[in-house]
Amino acid sequence: MQVYLDNAATTRVDKRVIQAMKPYYSKLYANASSIHLLGQRNNLDLMEAKERISKIIGGEARSIYFTSSATESNNMIVKGVALANRGGKRNKIIISEMEHPCVRESAHSLKEEGFKIEYIKPNKKGIITKAELEKIIDDKTLLVSVMMVNNEIGTINNVKQLAKLAHDHGAYFHTDAVQAVPYLEIDIKKMGIDMLSLSAHKFNGPKGVGLAYIDSKIKIKPLIVGGGQEEGLRAGTYNLPGIIGMTKALELAYNERDEYIKRVKELRDYLWKEMNKEISDLKLNGDLAKRVPANLNVMFYSIEGEAILIDLSRQGVSVSTGSACSATDLKGSYVLKSIGLDKNYLNSNVRFSLGKYNTKEEIDYTIKCLKKTVKRLRAFSPIK
Amino acid sequence: MALNYTKKTMDNFLKPKNIGQMKKADGYAQIGNMVCGDQLDFFLKVENGKIKDVKFLSFGCASNIATASVMTEKVKGMTIEEAKKYPWQKVSAELGGLPSQKQHCSVMAVQGLQKAIADYEERQKDIKETPKKKTKTTKAKRVKTKTTKAKPKATKKAKTTKKLR
Ligand SMILES: Cc1ncc(COP(=O)(O)O)c(C=O)c1O
Ligand code: FES
């Protein structure tokens, strides 16, 4: 049996999404920037895609820019805003300690441009609170970037509250909402979000398509220049099949949201309950209630996460340690460190992230395998 | 940054040799790596200057377990002097190579062995200085003598050794 429990890393593309994309490869392949009728026809589809997306996430269609990934969107936003405002009175950028590496590294790269980077600490439950932001924000702050949902432990931040605080100090607010779809309703205007990033492959859409929402009042220096696409903010021929795929995937995700959330939460809760029943000495990382219903991040005392992962994997169960991108980085997860996990526990964590196609049978099988794996590895652990 | 383990590494991870605790070891050492946080414990039994038996416990990644497994197989029967010089490159080569970020696992395994040998030699000195004690009854005083089952049951055969990214 193959059980895929790594949906926070990426997901299977929905068949209906593939159907929607197909014509744009075979018939409607014209360049959406071309002047001829075929090109202009595709341009209308592109504009319509932005309209369709803005109906779901709120905000204005013209503030949506398509990119190649959320990594690109986050680079574009964090660096782009900073570089457009270089030399001004605001030279501080605040990010949370739990941000994805693409936000962290983008922020780090700005140090040499004269920016000061400060970090908001999450609380023990894995949540970024207003009080912590309040401690470091000031009138020199240009940008605050806090993710909507953390990718490792699935915890949810109150971005509306944080955005308001940022605005009270005259700073912009960006949120990486990659892991929020479709678990949270996104309303850009209501939440007071100035900038936001999404990635299609995290919600059963294609890989290689991202989106950056950038409020039109915000000055931004483009990173990728060339043919002037996306109002000059992001050059490169429009990836129309991908864009259509992302749009369709987002619509499906939100149209079928209620039923999906109910189902995935049941499975996740069942997994957690059975795990507790069958395996001793484990601990959940991050708050159980304030997290998306697809995520579990569990510490298995006295054994190593990667060993668990590989042992499960040869039985057909795919999980991850922390995030996929940190899988080959030997150091313990910085996210778990930031929420104060004891250093003796830092190496013993596994992330289970469920998705649209998981079944109860798969969860039962996972428990069975996990039980075997933990027992085998604990039998020869020197830690008692 | 792929993490592709060879079949031999996987085999040794899934069915490690010489794993478990040893009662009355002649030499014992614990070694850890500060960066990755992994840990290995080694137990030695020495007879006539040769490694008669060696066992290990692991709190570590798959390659940590696999390297200790092949290394212990190789050094069993060696003289102390030979075992001391057993290089980590050989451990890695024995497994058909390790991913670059996993080379240190094999380094840690040989260092752990060297440390256990050093412990053995230290104990021998103690014994010479107090000749009343007989060599045979040297207690592994640094070893917690908890009697856990030595051999973990090997679970299911690895039918599919998949490549992991
Ligand atoms: C929170 C978060 N931000 C950004 C990314 C990067 O997204 P992408 O794979 O589209 O570059 C990911 C996933 O890898 C993520 O989980
Ligand atoms: S990762 Fe450090 S021993 Fe394997």
Side-chain angles (χ1 to χ4, degrees), chain A residues 51-147:
Chain A
E51 290 291 341
R52 285 159 66 191
I53 291 175
S54 74
K55 282 209 182 78
I56 299 170
I57 64 172
E60 285 154 3
R62 68 187 165 104
S63 299
I64 291 171
Y65 305 95
F66 291 109
T67 63
S68 68
S69 61
T71 297
E72 188 193 326
S73 302
N74 286 336
N75 271 266
M76 175 182 181
I77 290 169
V78 174
K79 292 184 196 165
V81 169
L83 297 181
N85 288 278
R86 186 169 33 184
K89 111 174 162 49
R90 293 178 182 269
N91 67 342
K92 184 152 127 184
I93 290 167
I94 298 179
I95 68 171
S96 88
E97 274 187 6
M98 324 169 74
E99 292 307 306
H100 189 272
C102 60
V103 170
R104 283 161 64 93
E105 294 301 320
S106 294
H108 283 185
S109 74
L110 293 167
K111 281 186 203 161
E112 58 193 43
E113 305 292 338
F115 288 92
K116 221 169 92 187
I117 316 299
E118 292 195 18
Y119 303 87
I120 325 172
K121 247 193 129 35
N123 65 17
K124 287 228 175 305
K125 293 177 162 188
I127 289 160
I128 303 295
T129 62
K130 194 176 150 209
E132 285 296 319
L133 174 57
E134 209 140 30
K135 281 186 200 163
I136 50 177
I137 195 167
D138 57 19
D139 293 339
K140 292 212 140 168
T141 307
L142 173 68
L143 172 69
V144 176
S145 178
V146 178
M147 65 205 323

Side-chain angles (χ1 to χ4, degrees), chain A residues 69-71 74 100 102 147 151 176 178-179 199 201-202:
Chain A
S69 61
T71 297
N74 286 336
H100 189 272
C102 60
M147 65 205 323
N151 48 308
D176 173 348
V178 165
Q179 298 284 345
S199 181
H201 74 93
K202 305 284 185 178

Side-chain angles (χ1 to χ4, degrees), chain A residues 73-301:
Chain A
S73 302
N74 286 336
N75 271 266
M76 175 182 181
I77 290 169
V78 174
K79 292 184 196 165
V81 169
L83 297 181
N85 288 278
R86 186 169 33 184
K89 111 174 162 49
R90 293 178 182 269
N91 67 342
K92 184 152 127 184
I93 290 167
I94 298 179
I95 68 171
S96 88
E97 274 187 6
M98 324 169 74
E99 292 307 306
H100 189 272
C102 60
V103 170
R104 283 161 64 93
E105 294 301 320
S106 294
H108 283 185
S109 74
L110 293 167
K111 281 186 203 161
E112 58 193 43
E113 305 292 338
F115 288 92
K116 221 169 92 187
I117 316 299
E118 292 195 18
Y119 303 87
I120 325 172
K121 247 193 129 35
N123 65 17
K124 287 228 175 305
K125 293 177 162 188
I127 289 160
I128 303 295
T129 62
K130 194 176 150 209
E132 285 296 319
L133 174 57
E134 209 140 30
K135 281 186 200 163
I136 50 177
I137 195 167
D138 57 19
D139 293 339
K140 292 212 140 168
T141 307
L142 173 68
L143 172 69
V144 176
S145 178
V146 178
M147 65 205 323
M148 206 174 266
V149 172
N150 179 264
N151 48 308
E152 290 191 30
I153 55 178
T155 47
I156 300 168
N157 294 315
N158 187 338
V159 293
K160 187 176 173 187
Q161 224 180 36
L162 300 169
K164 176 157 190 319
L165 184 56
H167 293 157
D168 288 348
H169 288 83
Y172 297 132
F173 185 81
H174 165 243
T175 188
D176 173 348
V178 165
Q179 298 284 345
V181 179
Y183 308 107
L184 304 181
E185 288 199 64
I186 300 173
D187 189 332
I188 286 179
K189 281 278 140 65
K190 234 200 246 159
M191 292 171 145
I193 295 165
D194 299 311
M195 290 163 285
L196 171 140
S197 317
L198 288 179
S199 181
H201 74 93
K202 305 284 185 178
F203 46 86
N204 308 101
K207 291 168 184 56
V209 205
L211 169 164
Y213 183 95
I214 302 167
D215 192 288
S216 52
K217 71 171 180 286
I218 295 169
K219 259 203 309 188
I220 171 163
K221 185 171 188 284
L223 299 185
I224 300 179
V225 292
Q229 288 90 345
E230 299 285 21
E231 312 301 318
L233 283 194
R234 200 277 187 181
T237 297
Y238 292 105
N239 170 11
L240 200 55
I243 289 166
I244 296 297
M246 178 180 214
T247 308
K248 181 75 180 172
L250 193 68
E251 284 175 344
L252 289 172
Y254 278 97
N255 287 341
E256 298 166 3
R257 174 176 187 261
D258 294 347
E259 186 267 336
Y260 165 65
I261 288 182
K262 183 167 166 286
R263 193 157 42 85
V264 81
K265 184 171 187 311
E266 255 171 42
L267 286 181
R268 195 273 314 264
D269 290 345
Y270 176 65
L271 175 61
W272 179 230
K273 196 183 92 206
E274 291 300 304
M275 224 186 267
N276 275 289
K277 225 193 276 171
E278 301 290 338
I279 299 163
S280 65
D281 298 311
L282 43 74
K283 182 182 162 293
L284 184 71
N285 296 313
D287 194 75
L288 181 60
K290 277 202 187 123
R291 75 165 67 206
V292 291
N295 172 292
L296 277 184
N297 188 307
V298 184
M299 189 284 296
F300 296 91
Y301 182 66

Side-chain angles (χ1 to χ4, degrees), chain A residues 306 313 328 347 376 380, chain B residues 1 13-14 36 58 102 162:
Chain A
E306 194 221 82
S313 153
T328 46
N347 259 354
R376 177 174 99 84
F380 52 73
Chain B
M1 285 249 292
F13 163 62
L14 295 172
C36 68
S58 158
K102 292 287 180 179
K162 287 183 292 107

